[in-house]
Amino acid sequence: AQKVTQAQTEISVVEKEDVTLDCVYETRDTTYYLFWYKQPPSGELVFLIRRNSFDEQNEISGRYSWNFQKSTSSFNFTITASQVVDSAVYFCALSEGALTGGGNKLTFGTGTQLKVEL
Amino acid sequence: NAGVTQTPKFQVLKTGQSMTLQCAQDMNHNSMYWYRQDPGMGLRLIYYSASEGTTDKGEVPNGYNVSRLNKREFSLRLESAAPSQTSVYFCASSEKWASGNTIYFGEGSWLTVV
């Protein structure tokens, strides 16, 4: 069965520090998709990034970057020069492919609460 | 830029009462979902509708029913609310049912059952 582990329950940093949020996944599929979502204090879930299992290139978007490593089944998320507005819960999620029945069911990790303080 | 809209945002129910959470999306998506979020457990899929006219159970369907009213709307009904259904409920949609389609979420509905 697919599984997503976010071992860091809560992280606190001071503004301008870099921070990495870890995500480790388990799947039997060779084709799968990984996602990151942000949940700010207001409660909505905001899509950040989608990555498929065949694309191991790192992704950078402004202060955000993602490191996908199939060898360690990890899809880590780094925020550079963190800001107070980055304070949120971040979820990593996995969608498996055809081998396990297909369909678009997301399995979520339990989330990492990031607190950025002045 | 509404995206996925769900109502109500907050609701308090007494045990045994019924209620319906409403959801609508304006992105012309084919697939819609209901998830619940509980502390320490991430989000779990309750029901989904791969396309208009179909609905299927997800991971935690007990105590819920759904209706895909049309392509835009997907409602979640609690027939007899229980304290265990106290949770945050998220409606979501994606363009297609195929794996990997990005799922977009609504703003959430906070439900308390006392």
Side-chain angles (χ1 to χ4, degrees):
Chain A
Q2 59 188 27
K3 183 178 179 181
V4 176
T5 301
Q6 294 180 257
Q8 304 153 307
T9 304
E10 185 172 321
I11 301 175
S12 291
V13 298
V14 176
E15 201 174 38
K16 298 184 183 177
E17 285 186 7
D18 298 347
V19 59
T20 295
L21 309 181
D22 297 333
C23 173
V24 175
Y25 61 91
E26 296 176 26
T27 178
R28 294 178 296 148
D29 253 318
T30 55
T31 301
Y32 52 89
Y33 302 83
L34 294 160
F35 300 81
W36 276 94
Y37 287 86
K38 174 182 180 181
Q39 186 175 40
S42 51
E44 72 272 25
L45 275 166
V46 178
F47 164 72
L48 294 178
I49 190 170
R50 167 188 178 273
R51 171 68 78 225
N52 73 56
S53 54
F54 297 106
D55 183 0
E56 286 194 73
Q57 280 191 330
N58 289 338
E59 176 98 7
I60 298 175
S61 177
R63 296 183 297 105
Y64 294 173
S65 62
W66 290 268
N67 184 337
F68 176 32
Q69 291 195 327
K70 289 178 74 171
S71 60
T72 56
S73 296
S74 64
F75 186 42
N76 297 336
F77 173 29
T78 297
I79 302 174
T80 302
S82 60
Q83 300 176 0
V84 172
V85 293
D86 295 326
S87 296
V89 180
Y90 291 87
F91 291 95
C92 180
L94 167 69
S95 176
E96 289 187 316
L99 181 65
T100 50
N104 203 21
K105 300 175 185 177
L106 282 178
T107 295
F108 282 84
T110 52
T112 297
Q113 169 83 60
L114 174 64
K115 295 183 178 179
V116 182
E117 300 167 332
L118 292 171
Chain B
N1 254 15
V4 179
T5 304
Q6 52 182 112
T7 57
K9 191 166 179 69
F10 299 98
Q11 184 73 49
V12 178
L13 285 178
K14 293 183 179 179
T15 297
Q17 285 185 321
S18 63
M19 77 158 296
T20 299
L21 297 173
Q22 307 285 355
C23 175
Q25 51 90 10
D26 63 2
M27 296 177 282
N28 199 35
H29 284 173
N30 290 295
S31 302
M32 297 187 73
Y33 314 78
W34 277 103
Y35 282 83
R36 61 178 286 174
Q37 180 181 19
D38 300 296
M41 301 190 73
L43 281 82
R44 293 179 294 169
L45 182 63
I46 305 171
Y47 269 93
Y48 64 94
S49 171
S51 60
E52 186 180 356
T54 69
T55 60
D56 281 290
K57 296 178 180 179
E59 183 184 354
V60 288
N62 290 346
Y64 305 95
N65 285 301
V66 291
S67 295
R68 183 75 183 265
L69 304 171
N70 48 56
K71 190 173 184 178
R72 289 186 64 248
E73 298 173 287
F74 188 40
S75 63
L76 177 72
R77 183 161 179 83
L78 287 69
E79 290 291 352
S80 180
S84 60
Q85 294 178 303
T86 293
S87 188
V88 183
Y89 291 86
F90 286 93
C91 180
S93 70
S94 65
E95 183 178 357
K96 300 176 184 178
W97 173 236
S99 178
N101 266 254
T102 300
I103 296 178
Y104 296 93
F105 288 83
E107 295 187 338
S109 295
W110 275 252
L111 176 65
T112 301
V113 183
V114 297

